[in-house]
Amino acid sequence: MAPAGNQSATQFWKTQDDATKAVNAMYANLREWKNIAFAPIAVESMGSDDAEKGSSPTDATFMNNFHNFTVTAGEGQVSDFWAGQYQTINFANQILGNVPGITMDQGLKARYLAEAKFIRAYAYFRLVRAFGDVPLRLSLPKNASDYNLPRTAKAQVWAAIESDLNDAASVLPQSYASADIGHATKGAALALHAKAALYQKNGPMWLPILPR
């Protein structure tokens, strides 16, 4: 018997409300433990002067390995960070793979797909900064062999990031009504694209000035 309160995948992806729920779940996942807690702090900040472990000397001592550059590949925060980003990518790919088939408002559909591309680009941006070459998954797996992808050259990952951000920026609005504040905007896509260019040393990059 299916757990009460759980909707099966075969019953989902039918309506505009389903699409909205999926987009909301994608954003909610950004606040999941692996995306905001020890793992991203360790991987993205502890090796810089932006953060210190703090607390008592005996608390979370594993964070010192990132500060001292003595961390190994088997450290739990490394695998958690990796898993957190691919979980985010899966949420985005679920939307990109299923929402196009839903009969719904076309403008809202286009916006939801653009938001998913922005979030996917954001997750890959975090991954490629941390690991360089990483598996590039841009569609839902169709068979067992699709679950074990090899690493993709980082240049191709950067190209996918830029492609997603170009697509997102061409559709996303500059602002939202109060009910949707916090969703990705055109400005966010352009800003992340500029940051991606700087990390690749492709600057200076000229961005259009958005009208007020």
Side-chain angles (χ1 to χ4, degrees):
M1 180 180 293
N6 283 12
Q7 188 175 5
S8 69
T10 57
Q11 296 173 323
F12 199 66
W13 306 113
K14 303 293 186 185
T15 68
Q16 180 169 301
D17 186 54
D18 291 338
T20 299
K21 289 177 181 177
V23 170
N24 289 343
M26 176 180 67
Y27 282 106
N29 171 69
L30 295 178
R31 300 179 64 184
E32 197 267 346
W33 179 263
K34 293 183 176 107
N35 283 320
I36 63 168
F38 281 145
I41 294 171
V43 172
E44 296 181 311
S45 297
M46 285 300 296
S48 71
D49 294 328
D50 294 339
E52 294 184 356
K53 185 185 77 65
S55 189
S56 65
T58 57
D59 178 44
T61 56
F62 56 83
M63 297 293 271
N64 291 325
N65 293 327
F66 292 87
H67 180 72
N68 297 326
F69 299 101
T70 57
V71 66
T72 63
E75 214 294 318
Q77 307 317 308
V78 175
S79 58
D80 273 2
F81 182 80
W82 177 280
Q85 302 323 301
Y86 278 105
Q87 184 171 304
T88 298
I89 290 163
N90 180 57
F91 272 92
N93 281 343
Q94 289 286 340
I95 292 167
L96 291 165
N98 290 292
V99 168
I102 297 177
T103 300
M104 59 181 289
D105 177 87
Q106 291 301 303
L108 185 61
K109 177 188 286 190
R111 198 195 93 194
Y112 281 171
L113 296 176
E115 290 181 61
K117 286 194 173 185
F118 172 84
I119 295 298
R120 184 170 68 180
Y122 171 63
Y124 272 119
F125 175 79
R126 299 178 79 180
L127 280 168
V128 76
R129 286 193 310 169
F131 300 105
D133 300 349
V134 295
L136 182 62
R137 181 178 296 287
L138 300 178
S139 60
L140 295 174
K142 294 182 175 61
N143 51 61
S145 63
D146 291 339
Y147 285 93
N148 190 22
L149 296 179
R151 296 172 73 185
T152 300
K154 63 183 179 181
Q156 189 175 340
V157 178
W158 281 117
I161 291 169
E162 294 193 354
S163 176
D164 274 353
L165 292 174
N166 280 330
D167 290 347
S170 69
V171 173
L172 291 174
Q174 295 171 20
S175 62
Y176 291 93
S178 58
D180 287 325
I181 287 177
H183 286 238
T185 63
K186 180 185 292 289
L190 291 173
L192 185 56
H193 196 173
K195 195 169 183 178
L198 290 174
Y199 268 88
Q200 297 173 84
K201 299 181 180 179
N202 289 341
M205 177 180 177
W206 293 96
L207 296 177
I209 299 175
L210 300 178
R212 294 178 181 230

